[in-house]
Amino acid sequence: MSDRPNPLGRLLSWDAAVVLVTVVVLIVASGAVENFGTSRNFTFLLLDLLPIALVALPMTFIIVTGEIDLSVASTLGLTSAVMGSLWDAGLSIETIIPLCIVLGAVLGALNGFFVTVLKLPSLAVTIGTLALYRGLAFVVLGDGAVADFPRTYTSWVTGTIGGGPVPNVLIPLVVVALIFGIVLHATPIGRGVFAAGAGEQAARFAGIRTGRLKFWLYVVSGAVAGLAGVLWTLRYSSARADNGFGLELAVVAAVLLGGVSIFGGKGTLPGVLAGVVLLASLQNALRLQDVSNEALNIVTGVLLIVSALLPNIVTSARTAVRRRRQAVTPER
């Protein structure tokens, strides 16, 4: 019998548990929290989870390889600041948007260069660029804000499909999520990502160019963070250097809560998306209860710790039970 992990079994265990908890939270919050179950709040909930979900897609790939990118929120903030600066300088929004996405890709490439070429630890590198990119955002735009972006774009980002509760921006998010899901779970690239996380040296022996793979993952992560910066700016019609501050913690918490191992090699994208919805729902319900941002950060931190520890505790418990059964089973 093969000892290879069964993706379906994992999908029916951890991911199903996250989905179940998410459903319970939604039901309880709808009954216990005033205005939580309204269509208007549903729209706000989806708009709130959009940047988390968007940035979590490439972050899933990176963490599965055993690396991390903590600079995503600062990349979002820097692209927002540059977007405001370019708009203030008179460039058209059609020119600014692709430039911001390219800027995000360049920032991601810098992370990838440090991690894959200079062989520096991704945790140390992205903590450094977290501070660097946020500092550059304040250099570009200062403490002020730039507003008055084209109403055509801001209205589309904040608008809904047919006047209902589902935001327009959910459509491209679903399309992008499907693409990432197919790539991760049904292509050689995805198999290379899991192989790199399970054992980088073995993956190299198998012919996988792990360095190049990780480099391009950081490029994609930066580009997606740049796109998130554009959408964030258009949603609030405000370009600020502090946009997205602290978002990286929510993204990492959602990814780990969705069942991705912090050590790499394990995880599913459906689980991550369920983790995003769970985290966003909790934050939304607490905000409606007038919970402060500081308390929300505490909740996010607790979820981050729990989501990192719980899978290892469950795995250890299963291993202990299996060994005990083997010990008491008589040989035939």
Side-chain angles (χ1 to χ4, degrees):
M1 184 179 294
S2 173
D3 293 330
R4 219 170 63 180
N6 183 358
L8 181 59
R10 182 176 179 81
L11 187 63
L12 295 176
S13 54
W14 181 269
D15 296 359
V18 175
V19 171
L20 179 61
V21 172
T22 302
V23 172
V24 170
V25 167
L26 290 172
I27 293 174
V28 171
S30 296
V33 180
E34 187 177 0
N35 295 324
F36 182 86
T38 63
S39 60
R40 182 177 177 81
N41 185 65
F42 181 72
T43 302
F44 285 136
L45 172 60
L46 292 177
L47 287 172
D48 287 342
L49 68 78
L50 171 70
I52 301 175
L54 195 59
V55 177
L57 295 175
M59 182 72 80
T60 300
F61 283 64
I62 290 175
I63 295 182
V64 169
T65 65
E67 307 292 350
I68 198 166
D69 184 1
L70 295 178
S71 70
V72 286
S74 296
T75 299
L76 185 158
L78 180 52
T79 54
S80 178
V82 169
M83 183 176 179
S85 180
L86 294 177
W87 176 250
D88 206 31
L91 270 70
S92 69
I93 196 71
E94 293 80 11
T95 302
I96 293 173
I97 291 176
L99 284 178
C100 288
I101 296 174
V102 170
L103 172 61
V106 171
L107 299 176
L110 182 61
N111 286 334
F113 173 79
F114 285 133
V115 172
T116 63
V117 177
L118 299 185
K119 306 297 183 182
L120 299 176
S122 60
L123 179 62
V125 166
T126 57
I127 286 177
T129 52
L130 177 154
L132 172 63
Y133 297 164
R134 186 66 69 178
L136 288 174
F138 280 98
V139 169
V140 170
L141 202 59
D143 293 328
V146 175
D148 299 323
F149 290 96
R151 187 166 180 80
T152 303
Y153 287 87
T154 58
S155 297
W156 185 84
V157 171
T158 58
T160 59
I161 301 172
V166 180
N168 295 321
V169 288
L170 191 65
I171 297 176
L173 174 62
V174 170
V175 173
V176 172
L178 286 173
I179 293 172
F180 273 84
I182 292 170
V183 171
L184 182 62
H185 296 294
T187 69
I189 295 175
R191 290 191 286 273
V193 168
F194 282 105
E200 186 167 358
Q201 188 172 4
R204 286 201 195 107
F205 287 147
I208 299 171
R209 301 179 66 175
T210 57
R212 185 173 69 173
L213 176 63
K214 290 181 180 180
F215 175 83
W216 285 109
L217 290 180
Y218 277 104
V219 172
V220 173
S221 178
V224 171
L227 175 60
V230 170
L231 295 175
W232 187 296
T233 303
L234 292 176
R235 178 191 174 184
Y236 296 104
S237 193
S238 177
R240 296 179 55 90
D242 61 353
N243 276 351
F245 186 81
L247 183 73
E248 68 280 344
L249 293 181
V251 171
V252 174
V255 172
L256 298 186
L257 194 61
V260 176
S261 172
I262 190 64
F263 302 107
K266 297 179 181 178
T268 68
L269 212 53
V272 169
L273 294 176
V276 169
V277 175
L278 174 58
L279 180 62
S281 300
L282 286 171
Q283 291 180 337
N284 181 271
L286 292 173
R287 285 195 186 98
L288 289 175
Q289 296 287 83
D290 294 325
V291 174
S292 66
N293 288 330
E294 290 75 15
L296 286 177
N297 288 335
I298 293 174
V299 173
T300 303
V302 170
L303 286 175
L304 183 57
I305 294 172
V306 169
S307 56
L309 289 177
L310 194 56
N312 296 315
I313 294 174
V314 172
T315 300
S316 299
R318 286 176 176 174
T319 302
V321 170
R322 191 183 307 117
R323 288 175 177 173
R324 181 175 298 179
R325 286 176 178 174
Q326 291 174 347
V328 300
T329 300
E331 294 185 3
R332 293 184 178 181

